[in-house]
Amino acid sequence: MMTLIMVHISVPESPIFTGEFMIEGNSTLIISVSALNGLQLNSNGQHVGVIEMAELVAECRIVDDETTCWCAPTQVWSDVVSKNHSICRNKVECVANISHYTPLCVPKVPIQLMGTMVNLGSSSWSQSFLNSTVATTFNQVNGFEKLTTSTTNGGNAEFQVNLNAVFKTAELTPLIKDLETQLTARITVEATGLAKIIAPNDTVLYKSRQTLSCYIDDTLNTCSWFITKHNEPPAQIGNGTQVTVGGSGCINTTKLELIQATGVWNGLYTCKFSDGTIFQRASTNLSIAVLPDAITMTSDPQTADCTGAGVKMSVQMSVKCGILPPSRPVNYTVTLDETKTMTTDGISDGKQWYFHDISIPCKDTTVKNVRTTCTFKNSKGQKAEANLSIPVLNSKDDFCGAEDPWPKTKANERATWTCPKGTVGNISRPCNANGEWQAELNFCVNEDIQKLSSSVENFKLGFNATPEVAGQIFSGLKNNSASGTNMTVGDVMATVDILDGMAFATSYVTLQDDSMMSDFIDSASNILSTSWADNTDLVNRISKTYLKAVEGLVANIKVNESKGYNSSKIQLQVCENNDVCNSTIFDVEMSLSTTAQQSKVLVLKNLSERLPSNVEGTEYLTLPDSVVLSATLENASDHTANITMVFPFNKTTDLPGVKFHCVYWMTNESKWSTEGCTWEEKGDNIICKCSHLTSFSALMSKNPEDLAGLPFLDELTYIGLGVSICSLIVFLIIESIVWGAVTKSNLSHFRHTCLVNIGVCLLIADCSFIASAFPKELGDLTCLLMVLAKHFFFTAMFFWMLCLSIMLLHQLIFVFSPLRKKVFMILAFTIGYACPVVTVGVSYVYYDRVSESSYYNPSKCWLNYEGPMQGSLHAFLFPVGVITLMNLMSMMVVIVTLLRPQVSEGKADDKQTVKSILKAVVFLTPVFGGTWLLGYFVFSMDAKTSIGKLVNYAFTIVNSLQGFFILVTGCIGEKKVRDELLKCIQSPKSTKSESKQNLTSSLKK
């Protein structure tokens, strides 16, 4: 008789180990397993551990040459026994020579397989045949315990298999394929019990960051996450604004990162690993202390009417707070102004409402509005709030009289009314400042469109963010927008918001579907087939969002084989690996020349007249039957594009005396620009040509597009900058070599310190300018960083010039009170770098947080100009102008001071130095002062005039060569530097070592 016992052994200063004891004896041997607990283990007289727990695993009976073994009730045959001795598989006792296997038995693990079988054959299955065939298949799996099968409608079937032994997916795959062949079926299997999931056990805070992990001891090629909410089918989770899935990979581990645990993520989470049609899954609940993501507040009546024949003491009102009904019951504490408990008012208009009655006093006639706050508090004490400002109408206030169904409304306020059945939202009617009713605005939205809007909002978060759901959204949008002219303003706005939301969401989810692109184009075309509103400002806002959304979706939705899509108001052409893309769309001849591998050309009709028709502050007419053309280039990191459009139009007969502008729409700034675009008349056609433009003189020009007609300006800019950068590098190298020899006196040290910092700042600024030469190829963050770099280092260069001027003035005016080195260095670095930091920092914060204007222009990667004293460009112009004028004044003071005889009484070395400084100032002041004054002429002059063109060329040439002038004046033009450099060339080793040592020691001072 042989008994196999599993023991857990405790070893000092080590983890718990698992081992097996095999005890042999006759058939009458009685073994007490519990007696082994606490048994001391020794080896060669050395204590090695203690048995913490012993468990009976298996027993074998050996009679002559025949061995019969059986596992304990909590054990099952190990995988090695099952594979090598199939006669033992799923048997209680096994007559085979297996006692030598380790492990012989393993603990049982409950595993459940749920399968669906789709009948692909012509005949149905009988129940007996189904049971027999499926049972035979799964009897080949170790640990098979139970099978249950059932047939469903349509001749299909389902089965449930209970196992008690682990298995590898690769072992089950061939069995499922064989079963599919036998049944002529498609089979999908989901297994539970092998995959494990780790998630927070306790209720987590609202909007907290949470991580869920899932793992399996197997190798599978794909993984996915699902969430099941109360009474809803499972929804797949994809990447979005509030969640990321997958982690670094999903061979046997996958992670889900909740960036914000909001109410939508409260539910049952399921992770799935898959290989073909076999899935391994695990599930767990995540409980979130939810709060409403949005709170709607209303009052009844909408205005507190304190007018009337007599003086009213107060007005009684009912304040309501509405939220979307949570998927699970939630016990909120709802208060008004944190002291009044609100009462549940049921569900209506798709919202759960709470109400409370309040009294608004009328004695104080100076009160214009009463502010009230609705607060929701969850089980963790977190709060969500919303505010409502209730207008108070006093006897002296203007108002709009009641007109059924519109109530009496205070001037400059808006009355709202509920939408008819089948729609959600409201109808509003403004009352203007004079107490006159304005036109109604119907913001009611069809319930089906509203459901699509909700789906898009969830899609953006990552909830049901899959290509399949995206296809359903576009298909539904196509069907619901087909009504065309029957759409309300609310329907149009909701539909445009859906397109905009999907354009944003598709940056997270890859979409590649020709039918999806077709549904999207038809939906977008349907919107252009209907009128939007009579309010011009509202139409302009909608059209801006519409164009941005459509361009984004055209870029994000990939196509496979299609060459284009045509609808009544939109046509899309796709060109592959072709340098020139030619076509005639809506009677407009279009030619696109590009180096990109793929280009998409989108032409939209009935949109240009809805977009703002102003260019640089001037209103222009829209060409009859005008179109908007948008080109998207893909799969090209460095490409160029030139677009030519030919409009059939004779201005002499159609619109005599008009001025044409060929423009492109700047999406980030929501306005037209003529940058890089020109037009010409040719017969009865207007020819419009557009290309990209970047020029150095655009830094100072309020209208960079005016430079489009100046030939070779870009080439001059880049050649000059190349020379300047090389010259600055050479200058800095020379300064490092001769530093110790040319900075022996304080005056020389001050001068060269300023020059070196001017050179460094200019070098970095020039490099940043070249790096941002093609703004359309840069991301928003990279473009912003380039703008900050150029703004800071160009400004710092001027502040170091100011340091140089201050030093010269002090040395020449206060001859007998020389500056101490430590004082100058502290002052110089404070002015040179602290002042630019403050200038740039304050400018960025003001335009980013306070002003409605943007800090920078993404289409140019430079500061904004919006008019005289408007725009962030003035944060550069003002310090540059002040410092430039101070430099010119300093030069005059230096010249006057040098004429005084007291200067000749200074030390010989300083006298020579002063002469060198004077020479340098004479050269540097025009370069850093006078030439930048040319920039102000560029800023104020029309670049299309002859003088304007001349000034632009002069400014571009001289300022792009600034680095070269620094090299000439700072090195070549100074005798001491030339002499020391000659010494270094003659004896390079000793001089270089000494100069480095001197430079290092001077920097430490």
Side-chain angles (χ1 to χ4, degrees), residues 80-89 94 96-98 100-101:
V80 65
V81 173
S82 176
K83 286 182 177 179
N84 292 304
H85 298 273
S86 59
I87 60 173
C88 298
R89 185 186 304 135
C94 178
N97 186 19
I98 59 175
H100 61 284
Y101 285 109

Side-chain angles (χ1 to χ4, degrees), residues 440-733:
E440 296 180 8
L441 293 174
N442 188 344
F443 294 109
C444 297
V445 180
N446 181 285
E447 284 185 344
D448 292 331
I449 295 179
Q450 181 60 34
K451 290 178 181 177
L452 289 175
S453 296
S454 299
S455 297
V456 172
E457 289 303 311
N458 287 336
F459 195 101
K460 289 162 60 178
L461 300 179
F463 184 91
N464 251 339
T466 64
E468 293 75 19
V469 173
Q472 295 170 12
I473 290 174
F474 286 118
S475 176
L477 193 61
K478 173 184 175 181
N479 296 332
N480 284 284
S481 62
S483 56
T485 54
N486 294 328
M487 298 180 72
T488 66
V489 176
D491 289 333
V492 172
M493 293 178 67
T495 304
V496 171
D497 286 341
I498 289 172
L499 293 177
D500 190 43
M502 290 304 295
F504 175 82
T506 50
S507 61
Y508 292 93
V509 180
T510 302
L511 301 180
Q512 187 159 356
D513 190 324
D514 288 355
S515 62
M516 190 184 302
M517 177 69 87
S518 176
D519 287 345
F520 149 61
I521 293 295
D522 287 338
S523 303
S525 177
N526 290 339
I527 299 173
L528 292 177
S529 299
T530 183
S531 60
W532 289 2
D534 296 330
N535 188 308
T536 302
D537 291 337
L538 180 60
V539 170
N540 287 166
R541 290 200 303 270
I542 297 174
S543 62
K544 293 174 185 178
T545 305
Y546 174 88
L547 182 56
K548 177 171 71 74
V550 170
E551 286 183 333
L553 285 168
V554 168
N556 293 341
I557 301 178
K558 314 301 179 185
V559 293
N560 296 317
E561 303 295 334
S562 177
K563 297 300 181 183
Y565 301 90
N566 294 332
S567 61
S568 60
K569 301 299 179 183
I570 298 179
Q571 292 189 19
L572 174 68
Q573 181 175 351
V574 181
C575 298
E576 300 278 356
N577 301 318
N578 195 347
D579 290 339
V580 180
C581 186
N582 296 315
S583 64
T584 300
I585 306 176
F586 293 131
D587 297 328
V588 176
E589 296 180 22
M590 183 275 303
S591 175
L592 171 65
S593 177
T594 178
T595 57
Q597 295 181 5
Q598 184 190 78
S599 59
K600 299 175 186 174
V601 180
L602 180 74
V603 181
L604 304 102
K605 201 172 184 179
N606 290 7
L607 179 63
S608 59
E609 60 266 29
R610 307 184 193 206
L611 290 164
S613 58
N614 58 78
V615 182
E616 297 140 28
T618 305
E619 290 289 334
Y620 286 92
L621 296 173
T622 303
L623 284 175
D625 298 322
S626 181
V627 297
V628 174
L629 184 146
S630 172
T632 301
L633 308 180
E634 296 184 2
N635 301 324
S637 58
D638 184 15
H639 54 73
T640 59
N642 292 283
I643 303 173
T644 301
M645 294 169 286
V646 180
F647 295 90
F649 182 75
N650 189 320
K651 75 171 188 178
T652 304
T653 58
D654 293 340
L655 288 173
V658 300
K659 177 182 179 181
F660 289 98
H661 270 258
C662 184
V663 295
Y664 86 98
W665 182 257
M666 296 189 295
T667 303
N668 291 330
E669 297 185 43
S670 298
K671 65 180 181 180
W672 294 108
S673 172
T674 58
E675 178 184 356
C677 294
T678 59
W679 71 275
E680 62 176 309
E681 267 188 276
K682 193 172 183 180
D684 290 340
N685 296 317
I686 299 297
I687 301 176
C688 179
K689 296 181 180 180
C690 288
S691 63
H692 181 69
L693 171 71
T694 300
S695 172
F696 184 78
S697 54
L699 286 175
M700 297 293 291
S701 176
K702 63 178 182 290
N703 294 317
E705 55 270 16
D706 290 342
L707 308 177
L710 302 181
F712 305 113
L713 200 61
D714 286 339
E715 289 78 0
L716 290 172
T717 297
Y718 299 132
I719 292 173
L721 287 176
V723 173
S724 181
I725 290 173
C726 293
S727 299
L728 288 169
I729 293 173
V730 172
F731 166 74
L732 294 174
I733 293 173

